[in-house]
Amino acid sequence: MENMFSKNIKYLLDTGKISVKTILNITSVKSKSLVYMWKSGERQITTEDAVKLANFLNITLDDLINKDLSKVDEFGSYFNANKHLLTEEDKDMIKFIIEKRK
């Protein structure tokens, strides 16, 4: 399976979902240039830093490195735009379905 990390970090940075400064604060990385190398695919993130980043973003490590977060976010945006239409029972059911699929 293709490693999606560089595409995901590019997406997260380009959309403003996370900043380089935040990445520097939550990981052991002290160099902006290393973050940009992750973004371009020139360098790989360490497992330790990937775990820290995934935890901060409240996603799984698997999602961070193997899933296209831009596609996942499309559903999130659609869901958030329409969540006023859902009852609490609807939201619980959606959450249940998502958890079962993981």
Side-chain angles (χ1 to χ4, degrees):
M1 179 177 280
E2 177 187 358
N3 183 318
M4 296 293 296
F5 177 74
S6 63
K7 181 175 181 174
N8 286 335
I9 201 71
K10 179 178 182 346
Y11 166 74
L12 293 166
L13 288 167
D14 291 352
T15 59
K17 298 193 182 300
I18 196 165
S19 68
V20 172
K21 183 178 179 181
T22 300
I23 292 172
L24 296 176
N25 287 333
I26 61 173
T27 65
S28 63
V29 175
K30 302 300 174 220
S31 166
K32 289 180 182 180
S33 62
L34 181 56
V35 175
Y36 291 113
M37 285 188 230
W38 293 344
K39 183 178 172 180
S40 69
E42 293 175 57
R43 296 280 301 269
Q44 293 296 314
I45 190 170
T46 66
T47 302
E48 179 182 342
D49 285 333
V51 168
K52 289 177 184 177
L53 189 56
N55 287 339
F56 177 82
L57 295 166
N58 199 29
I59 60 174
T60 67
L61 181 58
D62 182 57
D63 287 351
L64 181 63
I65 61 174
N66 292 317
K67 292 187 180 172
D68 185 344
L69 293 180
S70 66
K71 301 280 191 246
V72 173
D73 199 41
E74 285 175 18
F75 176 76
S77 296
Y78 179 78
F79 178 81
N80 286 333
N82 295 288
K83 68 182 175 186
H84 64 282
L85 300 172
L86 303 172
T87 66
E88 288 303 315
E89 187 176 313
D90 294 336
K91 292 175 187 176
D92 289 341
M93 180 59 75
I94 292 168
K95 184 177 179 181
F96 173 78
I97 291 167
I98 291 170
E99 290 301 317
K100 287 294 265 184
R101 301 263 181 193
K102 285 185 178 179

